[in-house]
Amino acid sequence: MSSWSIDGAQVQTVLNNVKTYADQFQTGLSEDKFTDLSNCLTAGMTEGSASVNTVTGAVPGAVNDLISSLSDELTTIGNRVQAGILGVASATVSYNQGNEDMAATFQTEMSTAAQTGDFSFFEQHNVLGS
């Protein structure tokens, strides 16, 4: 074993903070939020007894197209954050248990999951609780 000393509690604190911000990010970019935005742009609001469409023309379609075009990028960001959390937590536990080979494997699989979105390794090793 090397001379590294990893404090699992400190790692957990950092990962909890990352998860909190990632959850806020996902909530802010959820499909419900985009649906609400689209509805606001296209359905208009009611003012007194009259319906007022506050945005007209090509704007609602352009916003919808922009949101749709970002879907893959947002999925990639989510995959990378999730893979990082799982990989770092699992590698830390393995390392602290003296299993440096498994720690290295978790790091490798973390990179693979981040790039591909395939979390099957973590599922197979019960990291996802499945």
Side-chain angles (χ1 to χ4, degrees):
M1 188 146 161
S2 71
S3 62
W4 284 60
S5 177
I6 300 174
D7 184 336
Q10 288 179 337
V11 171
Q12 187 62 47
T13 298
V14 170
L15 294 178
N16 287 341
N17 288 336
V18 169
K19 183 165 179 6
T20 297
Y21 290 119
D23 289 347
Q24 291 172 356
F25 178 78
Q26 288 298 107
T27 300
L29 297 174
S30 70
E31 192 169 327
D32 290 341
K33 291 284 186 183
F34 289 131
T35 299
D36 289 346
L37 175 61
S38 180
N39 288 341
C40 287
L41 292 173
T42 58
M45 303 183 319
T46 302
E47 208 171 273
S49 62
S51 178
V52 178
N53 191 343
T54 57
V55 179
T56 60
V59 173
V63 170
N64 191 42
D65 290 347
L66 174 64
I67 292 167
S68 295
S69 73
L70 295 176
S71 177
D72 290 342
E73 286 83 358
L74 296 175
T75 298
T76 298
I77 290 169
N79 286 343
R80 290 180 183 276
V81 171
Q82 180 69 7
I85 290 170
L86 294 172
V88 168
S90 301
T92 299
V93 169
S94 295
Y95 182 85
N96 282 336
Q97 291 175 346
N99 192 343
E100 292 183 32
D101 290 337
M102 193 61 182
T105 299
F106 275 120
Q107 289 176 330
T108 300
E109 292 297 329
M110 172 183 63
S111 294
T112 299
Q115 293 170 1
T116 66
D118 179 3
F119 288 86
S120 60
F121 176 85
F122 294 99
E123 291 169 3
Q124 291 167 2
H125 288 84
N126 225 15
V127 175
L128 296 176
S130 54

